[in-house]
């Protein structure tokens, strides 16, 4: 078994810690968080130690580090872990500053064993859609529609430090667009508003956006983002090709539907990402275990993190200027 440490005992850190602790090939050695009560609770929950960052980096028994700390700490922690010979799973985004992320290439690029936490690539529904696209089921891909609507907005305190909708929320969709398109977009146009909560606008952010990506070959992807759907966690993808279309639909709480004289009604959408992507988070840790063991290279790595951040910055620039932005 390979020793693993988790940096960050917040919501995402606890998800990763639990999945590491339950993995048959991994041994959760320690958790680190500057909030001592949070670290102690997470460590007790997963039967591991609490350690500070320096002790984790110096510990030769720890072969991999999961970085789920606040975003401003990601790059420095990732560079230190890689320099110490450890594999890294780093949550998105790499940083809120694109220039800083690019400058980390000598440390995190190339063959460095770093994996980015774009967990939706490991969702079995989206994976099946990708495999069918690659198998030619719809001919040549022409356009994509990615819908990502949250059930309710996050707290304003979170919004103020999140880096904005494009870097915090839509960055998952930018990565998924690249994954499915099979080529990088060269043009970004974004239209956005604050329609859900005026306090989000007062915090300098937007809560509703439509972003159009275009590749050099002419493929188009439209991404729809909202901080509040009003009907649950809406996660859909539609792919249109020269011979047909594919659709990955929402996952419901159950497969039960009720029928009566007024028609039919299915169950509710799964509540939020903790439920909808629980299986994907476990599959992500499976892949990380193979990286730590030296059996695989990261299927989504440093360069993917930079590319997604480039698209997020381009979308923000397009929204501000009202013009399409070349990337």
């Amino acid at each position: 078994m390979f020793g693993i440490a988790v940096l960050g005992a917040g919501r995402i850190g606890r998800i990763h810690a639990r999945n590491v602790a339950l993995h048959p090939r991994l041994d959760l050695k320690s958790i680190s968080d500057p909030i001592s009560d949070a670290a102690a609770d997470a460590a007790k929950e997963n039967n591991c130690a609490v350690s500070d960052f320096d002790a984790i980096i110096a510990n030769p028994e720890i072969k991999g580090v999961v970085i789920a700390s606040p975003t401003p700490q990601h790059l420095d922690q990732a560079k230190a872990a890689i320099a110490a010979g450890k594999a890294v799973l780093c949550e998105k985004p790499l940083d809120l500053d694109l220039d800083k992320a690019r400058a980390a290439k000598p440390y995190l690029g190339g063959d460095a064993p770093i994996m980015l936490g774009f967990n939706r690539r490991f969702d079995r529904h989206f994976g099946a859609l990708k495999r069918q696209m690659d198998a030619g089921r719809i001919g040549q891909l022409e356009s994509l529609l990615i819908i990502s609507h949250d059930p309710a907005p996050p707290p304003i305190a979170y919004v103020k430090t999140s880096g904005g909708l494009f870097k915090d929320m839509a960055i998952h969709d930018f990565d998924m667009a690249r994954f499915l398109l099979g080529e990088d977009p060269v043009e970004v146009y974004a239209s956005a508003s604050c329609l859900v909560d005026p306090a989000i606008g007062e915090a300098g952010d937007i809560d509703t956006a439509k972003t159009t990506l275009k590749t050099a070959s002419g493929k188009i992807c439209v991404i729809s983002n909202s901080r509040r759907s009003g009907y649950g966690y809406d996660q859909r993808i539609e792919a249109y090709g020269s011979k047909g279309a594919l659709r990955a639909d929402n996952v419901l709480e159950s497969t039960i539907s009720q029928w009566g004289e007024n028609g039919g009604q299915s169950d509710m959408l799964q509540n939020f990402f903790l439920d909808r992507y629980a299986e994907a988070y476990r599959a992500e840790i499976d892949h990380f275990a193979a990286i730590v063991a030296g059996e695989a290279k990261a299927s989504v790595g440093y360069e993917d993190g930079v590319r997604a951040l480039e698209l997020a910055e381009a979308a923000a620039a397009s929204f501000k200027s009202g013009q399409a932005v070349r990337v």
Side-chain angles (χ1 to χ4, degrees), residues 110-161:
D111 292 328
I114 179 170
M115 174 184 176
L116 261 289
F118 288 122
N119 63 297
R120 296 180 192 182
R121 290 201 187 202
F122 298 91
D123 176 72
R124 64 187 176 93
H125 307 285
F126 297 161
L129 183 139
K130 168 68 168 172
R131 288 190 295 274
Q132 291 196 36
M133 288 170 57
D134 291 346
R137 289 289 300 277
I138 59 170
Q140 184 68 34
L141 178 66
E142 296 171 349
S143 65
L144 288 172
L145 172 61
I146 299 175
I147 298 171
S148 182
H149 297 175
D150 285 353
I156 296 303
Y158 175 87
V159 171
K160 290 179 178 179
T161 61

Side-chain angles (χ1 to χ4, degrees), residues 34 53 57 93 136 142 146 167 209 222 272 279 312 314:
F53 176 70
I57 293 301
E142 296 171 349
I146 299 175
K167 291 182 180 179
V222 176
F272 204 18
E279 184 181 353

